[in-house]
Amino acid sequence: MKLPHVTKPSESAGQGRNALLGGSYSLALTAILLAILIALNVLVGALPASQTKYDISSSKLHSITSNTKVVVNALEEDVTIYWVVQAGQKDEILENLLSKYESLSEHIEVVEKNPDIFPAFAEQYTSETVPNNSLIVECGQRSRFISYNDIYLLDSSLYGYNASFDGEGAITSAIDYVTTDELPQLYLLEGHGEAELPATLSDQLEKENIEVQSLSLLTVDAIPEDADCLMIYAPSSDISSAERDLLTAYVKAGGSLFVVAGPMQDGLPENLLGLVSEYGVQAIEGMVVEQDRGYYAFQSPYLLMPELADDDITNPLTQERYFPILPAAMALTVEGGSSQAEVTELLTTSPSSFSQPVDAVSPEKEEDDPQGPFAVGVRISHESGGQIIWFSSSLFLEDFYNAYSSGANVNLGVNAIASLVGERDATSIRSKSLNYNYLTISDSASSVLKGLIMGVFPLLYLDVGIAVVWKRRKHQNEPC
């Protein structure tokens, strides 16, 4: 008979002490690890959002561009961004963006103002309706109101609506506006039946912090010294010879001139064309008709989709695959040139295009109609530093045709003006698309993918499973 083992008292007490020590050690280690994790969590929570969040969106919706960093890092004055927002109604994208501005510079402070608590706060800055999540940027005596409707944009086109986020562009532009004493001056020539600037173009120029003023050369002896650029927009009659001489001298002295002028009922504007003729740029009376289907839009040979040159003005559109549309454009040709200036054809039509009289009955080529290709946009760079940019369609910046091009027309015009006045970092930030990017594949590729996903891959997985089961059963039946 086997006697049971009896544990001695000293042995039992020793095992108890060991268990107690082991438990205490585990508890202490757990507490230390927990304290480290809590401290690490608090530390990470105190870091700015720019260091804890990463932007993986295709349009870089949650990122700050280098242009904004240049503007913000150069601040020498304190800027306050008032965020008019109700409790529990914060826009998360805007909140993330504002936190990044605040972390970029000690001169920027974001202050929340709940309209339920401060109902009259925004009235001292604007008389407009103030939607929730609107902003007010202030520095000293200058301020700018940014409506929430100007942060999320909804532009119409023939294909529906294009949604975009312009928070960074609007905020950086406002910061630049309130901290800059001298803004670029654009003088708009008047006195020749010029059309009014379209609303979309005017809004974009305001965002670019370009101040627009009217100017009649008939009432001045010289062009204002603060003029960064002169603009001639859609005149219905020619300028005078005296105005031509004044503008010619202005360009040769280093001035910048932006011309948007197409065919006129009274024929070619000889004095206006005199501004560019000495550089080899000539015009053909009438308007351009396209015969190449790849160079016109919506089955209308008068709605030109010209080829874009490699230039700072056109490259942003080319990179984003936007195509400007020029309706009723006048044909320009470049011949000879001048040793004093370089001429660049920014927009050109196809070799199959031709020019016909404005009053032509149909878009059919007659025997004596001049044959293309033509230029419908040119850039003249004078050796003095002066420049002339001419687009030969009086209508292409109108809101109607801008919608046709999904905003490409106004972008092209603003790029040209910004180039002439000297584009700064704050004026080169464009809105970021909120539209989904869909993957489009052909029917044949779709059929192949369906066959792989619904047929080949399931059969392959089934075969692998059968092989694994067979191999395991084979090993089970083998003698040990």
Side-chain angles (χ1 to χ4, degrees):
M1 179 177 179
K2 187 175 180 181
L3 298 175
H5 174 71
V6 179
T7 304
K8 298 179 180 179
S10 59
E11 182 180 351
S12 177
Q15 290 179 350
R17 283 196 299 270
N18 290 336
L20 181 61
L21 289 174
S24 300
Y25 176 77
S26 299
L27 183 61
L29 184 61
T30 302
I32 293 173
L33 289 175
L34 184 60
I36 293 175
L37 289 175
I38 292 175
L40 185 61
N41 187 51
V42 172
L43 178 63
V44 172
L47 293 175
S50 58
Q51 299 181 20
T52 59
K53 296 181 180 180
Y54 297 93
D55 189 359
I56 59 174
S57 61
S58 59
S59 60
K60 296 300 178 182
L61 181 63
H62 308 283
S63 298
I64 293 288
T65 64
S66 59
N67 307 76
T68 290
K69 294 177 182 178
V70 170
V71 173
V72 171
N73 291 335
L75 288 176
E76 297 180 354
E77 302 174 273
D78 292 337
V79 175
T80 303
I81 303 177
Y82 293 106
W83 186 9
V84 183
V85 58
Q86 294 173 309
Q89 299 295 323
K90 292 182 180 180
D91 182 283
E92 292 184 1
I93 297 178
L94 186 58
E95 182 180 22
N96 176 60
L97 180 65
L98 290 173
S99 68
K100 291 189 174 182
Y101 273 92
E102 202 167 24
S103 65
L104 282 175
S105 173
E106 61 182 9
H107 289 290
I108 295 180
E109 180 185 10
V110 177
V111 178
E112 297 180 20
K113 289 291 183 179
N114 189 330
D116 296 330
I117 302 175
F118 305 96
F121 172 76
E123 293 179 2
Q124 59 185 310
Y125 297 99
T126 181
S127 58
E128 300 180 33
T129 302
V130 181
N132 197 48
N133 282 294
S134 294
L135 304 172
I136 298 169
V137 181
E138 181 185 53
C139 178
Q141 299 299 316
R142 304 190 70 173
S143 64
R144 172 173 284 183
F145 167 65
I146 304 174
S147 172
Y148 186 67
N149 298 326
D150 295 327
I151 296 175
Y152 285 91
L153 306 177
L154 196 62
D155 299 323
S156 62
S157 71
L158 292 183
Y159 307 104
Y161 290 93
N162 300 316
S164 59
F165 178 75
D166 196 29
E168 182 187 359
I171 296 173
T172 302
S173 174
I175 292 174
D176 179 67
Y177 173 77
V178 300
T179 58
T180 303
D181 294 328
E182 297 182 2
L183 298 174
Q185 302 295 311
L186 173 67
Y187 280 86
L188 192 62
L189 201 65
E190 62 181 11
H192 316 90
E194 290 87 355
E196 292 187 7
L197 288 186
T200 304
L201 177 62
S202 296
D203 292 342
Q204 191 63 34
L205 290 176
E206 181 181 359
K207 179 200 165 188
E208 305 287 324
N209 292 333
I210 298 175
E211 295 187 341
V212 180
Q213 303 184 52
S214 298
L215 174 67
S216 173
L217 296 180
L218 301 176
T219 59
V220 298
D221 297 325
I223 294 173
E225 293 183 359
D226 65 342
D228 293 288
C229 180
L230 260 62
M231 180 176 182
I232 303 176
Y233 181 72
S236 57
S237 62
D238 198 3
I239 62 175
S240 66
S241 57
E243 291 173 303
R244 176 200 61 201
D245 296 340
L246 196 60
L247 291 172
T248 298
Y250 168 71
V251 172
K252 290 184 177 180
S256 298
L257 181 62
F258 182 52
V259 183
V260 178
M264 297 183 184
Q265 293 293 336
D266 297 333
L268 292 175
E270 298 296 340
N271 289 324
L272 188 60
L273 289 169
L275 298 172
V276 296
S277 60
E278 65 175 291
Y279 307 114
V281 179
Q282 304 292 333
I284 299 174
E285 187 173 355
M287 61 182 179
V288 180
V289 181
E290 264 293 356
Q291 298 185 99
D292 189 325
R293 187 62 187 87
Y295 283 77
Y296 65 87
F298 309 118
Q299 301 181 346
S300 175
Y302 299 105
L303 299 179
L304 310 181
M305 287 180 57
E307 184 175 347
L308 305 182
D310 182 10
D311 189 90
D312 292 340
I313 295 173
T314 55
N315 285 343
L317 278 73
T318 304
Q319 294 168 3
E320 298 295 330
R321 295 193 60 79
Y322 277 99
F323 303 98
I325 297 175
L326 274 71
M330 179 172 60
L332 302 176
T333 61
V334 181
E335 299 176 0
S338 169
S339 59
Q340 295 182 325
E342 179 184 356
V343 180
T344 303
E345 299 183 25
L346 297 173
L347 309 175
T348 52
T349 63
S350 75
S352 62
S353 62
F354 65 93
S355 178
Q356 68 171 193
V358 176
D359 58 355
V361 178
S362 66
E364 300 295 331
K365 187 178 185 305
E366 302 293 339
E367 185 176 353
D368 55 347
D369 287 337
Q371 185 71 44
F374 306 113
V376 290
V378 295
R379 179 178 196 165
I380 299 172
S381 302
H382 198 272
E383 61 182 5
S384 66
Q387 294 188 79
I388 301 175
I389 295 178
W390 188 317
F391 293 115
S392 63
S393 169
S394 296
L395 303 174
F396 91 104
L397 290 176
E398 295 295 318
D399 292 337
F400 179 76
Y401 292 106
N402 183 58
Y404 265 17
S405 67
S406 298
N409 287 5
V410 167
N411 278 343
L412 178 63
V414 171
N415 288 349
I417 295 173
S419 174
L420 292 173
V421 302
E423 184 168 16
R424 299 165 299 151
D425 295 297
T427 61
S428 58
I429 301 171
R430 301 294 184 252
S431 59
K432 300 173 182 179
S433 176
L434 294 174
N435 294 334
Y436 293 104
N437 295 320
Y438 294 98
L439 176 64
T440 304
I441 59 177
S442 63
D443 290 339
S444 58
S446 175
S447 299
V448 171
L449 288 175
K450 288 179 181 178
L452 289 173
I453 295 172
M454 301 174 64
V456 176
F457 290 157
L459 290 175
L460 181 61
Y461 295 148
L462 180 62
D463 291 342
V464 171
I466 292 174
V468 170
V469 172
W470 178 80
K471 186 176 181 180
R472 288 179 178 176
R473 289 188 176 180
K474 181 180 178 181
H475 286 304
Q476 290 176 353
N477 294 331
E478 289 180 354
C480 298

